[in-house]
Amino acid sequence: MKTPFVNKIKLEEIIQKHPTPFHLYDEKGIRENARNLHKAFAWNKGFREYFAVKATPNPYIMKILQEEGCGFDCASYAELVLADKVGSKNVMFSSNVTPDEDFILAYNNGAIINLDDFTHIEILDKLCGIPETISCRFNSGGDFKTDEKGNVMDIPGEAKYGFTREQIIEGFKVLKAKGAKRFGIHAFLASNTQTEDYYPVLAGLMFELAVEIKEKAGVEIGFVNLSGGIGIPYEPDRKPNDIIKIGQGVKARFEKILTPAGLGDVDIYTELGRFMLAPYGHLITKAIREKKIYREYIGVDACACDLMRPALYKAYHHITVAGKENAPLEKVYDVTGGLCENNDKFAIERKLPKIDVGDILIIHDTGAHGHSMGYNYNGKLRSAEILLCENGSFKLIRRAETTEDYFRTLDFSNL
């Protein structure tokens, strides 16, 4: 079973001030995880984590990570503004189908621009010039396999991102001729991986590419960005990835491939989102209705607008009933929200303790790609975000939307 980072007594205290539903984040867990990541890659003197802002775009959360030595991976104009608002000077800009204004803001803010396509070289040059530090995103094509047995982890050849091998080599020749002086490569080839092999295998592929680029383009790679992709165990019977073991696996390939090629000073970057935040967020909701027809249903005051992963991906999120952690799993429920969509379900035929109207439900692992993927279908209003501080206090870090917010972009006076 998964253990929540908050108990019923504390939840009742929070709910007295901030009604459900809301996303709750664990400051202590976030900080400890960030420190463990840095420990795993301490062998690389230039290591930096660029937190994937898309996962949890809240400045209070970003500030915590900044205090723990993290920079930020941004993919849009608004995310660049967020990084600027928290005062970060360590920003990677990894975007695709990039609007002109996004490129210009990234350039003006001093972000490391990670180009997604060969044609973007000329576009960026015409817009604002080629910066001295530049990165290119690599797409290996075909299947991405983790071992000699041929286990396929993902299919980069079907993805819209990145340069081909031939394009990236030619691209670095062009960038060097245009005045770039420090170069990096980046790749994201699989998502939410449940194996400690992913980063080491990816690193080996990228390190070999760096050697090839040096030989064929005359460019020495200064940093390798392994991006994200390290997953978390959403299911309670899976064990978490060991980040220390992952870091050592990357180190072994570094020493085998890069060091002998005279590239022993290459910095390693990561752009983790889910790994950094997902386990340290809960969606807190309350049972408000029960229904018995062909199945038994528990209706809660949250819905897919607050957490769309189960509806979109059929993703599993564990559920704890606060105060009934040790109760027998004697009932089978569909746990649903109130949208006019039948996929608005947090759990389907899930074994749970008997749930009564008024019970508090804790939906686990919502710290990343939870609130950030929210929307307003059916006129549902996006929920609040609350930080559970290390000292046991709590504070509102984003208020819940109101109907005034929902209607703010409309002008009723012209009806």
Side-chain angles (χ1 to χ4, degrees):
M1 299 295 292
K2 284 180 174 281
T3 302
F5 58 74
V6 63
N7 59 33
K8 184 181 180 182
I9 294 173
K10 176 57 71 172
L11 285 174
E12 289 174 336
E13 179 187 351
I14 298 171
I15 290 169
Q16 283 182 359
K17 190 171 183 180
H18 304 293
T20 55
F22 54 80
H23 285 267
L24 183 68
Y25 304 102
D26 176 24
E27 180 184 2
K28 181 175 183 291
I30 294 169
R31 289 189 184 276
E32 288 177 351
N33 191 49
R35 291 168 189 172
N36 207 31
L37 172 68
H38 283 91
K39 180 181 177 181
F41 286 91
W43 55 268
N44 183 265
K45 64 181 181 180
F47 173 76
R48 186 178 296 278
E49 155 67 5
Y50 289 88
F51 170 67
V53 175
K54 65 180 73 67
T56 318
N58 186 294
Y60 291 85
I61 300 296
M62 292 169 66
K63 198 67 179 177
I64 290 170
L65 291 170
Q66 185 182 30
E67 290 169 358
E68 296 298 335
C70 300
F72 300 109
D73 160 46
C74 299
S76 69
Y77 192 99
E79 289 179 1
L80 286 166
V81 171
L82 263 177
D84 187 58
K85 291 287 188 183
V86 300
S88 179
K89 302 301 180 184
N90 296 304
V91 176
M92 286 281 301
F93 180 63
S94 297
S95 177
N96 68 94
V97 195
T98 309
D100 290 354
E101 56 268 26
D102 292 30
F103 271 136
I104 293 168
L105 182 61
Y107 181 92
N108 290 339
N109 284 8
I112 299 174
I113 297 174
N114 182 40
L115 297 173
D116 182 66
D117 185 68
F118 187 86
T119 63
H120 291 180
I121 297 173
E122 288 300 326
I123 292 169
L124 182 64
D125 194 20
K126 289 179 181 178
L127 286 172
C128 44
I130 300 298
E132 289 192 355
T133 298
I134 195 75
S135 178
C136 294
R137 182 169 185 167
F138 176 58
N139 185 326
S140 60
D143 296 338
F144 178 68
K145 301 176 181 179
T146 57
D147 55 36
E148 294 178 355
K149 295 178 182 178
N151 292 324
V152 175
M153 186 169 285
D154 217 322
I155 309 175
E158 296 181 357
K160 65 178 180 176
Y161 310 107
F163 291 60
T164 66
R165 185 177 299 273
E166 294 75 17
Q167 288 174 339
I168 206 167
I169 291 169
E170 181 62 25
F172 279 120
K173 291 178 182 178
V174 174
L175 288 165
K176 182 179 180 181
K178 288 181 177 290
K181 296 179 179 178
R182 185 167 185 258
F183 307 89
I185 51 176
H186 169 288
F188 182 91
L189 300 184
S191 179
N192 192 31
T193 59
Q194 302 290 311
T195 171
E196 284 141 6
D197 293 334
Y198 170 60
Y199 252 21
V201 172
L202 172 64
L205 183 153
M206 296 297 283
F207 296 161
E208 289 171 355
L209 177 63
V211 174
E212 185 178 359
I213 290 169
K214 179 182 178 182
E215 294 172 349
K216 295 183 178 179
V219 166
E220 288 202 10
I221 295 300
F223 59 90
V224 174
N225 190 329
L226 301 176
S227 190
I230 297 178
I232 64 144
Y234 286 98
E235 298 85 357
D237 58 346
R238 299 185 72 104
K239 69 179 185 68
N241 284 319
D242 184 341
I243 194 63
I244 301 298
K245 183 177 178 180
I246 290 171
Q248 289 303 305
V250 174
K251 180 183 179 183
R253 284 160 175 80
F254 187 101
E255 293 174 344
K256 180 180 179 181
I257 301 168
L258 289 183
T259 302
L263 294 170
D265 292 330
V266 169
D267 297 336
I268 301 299
Y269 297 159
T270 57
E271 289 176 354
L272 297 164
R274 189 191 317 268
F275 177 83
M276 297 299 291
L277 259 296
Y280 312 107
H282 295 330
L283 174 57
I284 309 300
T285 184
K286 189 174 287 188
I288 60 172
R289 297 287 183 267
E290 56 183 341
K291 180 175 183 174
K292 297 179 181 179
I293 47 174
Y294 307 106
R295 294 183 184 178
E296 290 197 40
Y297 296 90
I298 291 294
V300 297
D301 56 7
C303 67
C305 293
D306 302 298
L307 178 67
M308 73 183 300
R309 294 188 73 254
L312 184 63
Y313 304 122
K314 299 188 183 302
Y316 180 95
H317 281 264
H318 196 66
I319 296 176
T320 296
V321 183
K324 298 181 178 179
E325 291 85 353
N326 298 316
L329 307 181
E330 60 183 349
K331 301 290 288 185
V332 176
Y333 294 114
D334 282 16
V335 179
T336 80
L339 291 185
C340 298
E341 293 288 342
N342 196 44
N343 65 354
D344 180 22
K345 296 181 178 182
F346 296 113
I348 298 174
E349 296 185 305
R350 181 82 58 86
K351 289 183 177 180
L352 290 163
K354 183 180 184 302
I355 299 175
D356 300 301
V357 169
D359 278 349
I360 301 167
L361 276 61
I362 301 167
I363 303 178
H364 291 250
D365 300 317
T366 69
H369 311 292
H371 190 281
S372 66
M373 295 177 74
Y375 56 105
N376 289 114
Y377 181 63
N378 266 169
K380 295 290 187 178
L381 304 174
R382 297 180 69 187
S383 63
E385 293 180 293
I386 297 170
L387 180 67
L388 182 63
C389 303
E390 284 188 294
N391 63 8
S393 65
F394 59 90
K395 62 181 176 183
L396 185 69
I397 59 174
R398 190 194 302 267
R399 66 168 174 80
E401 285 184 337
T402 66
T403 51
E404 288 77 14
D405 296 321
Y406 181 73
F407 293 125
R408 194 174 300 278
T409 54
L410 296 174
D411 184 355
F412 292 101
S413 64
N414 293 322
L415 289 178

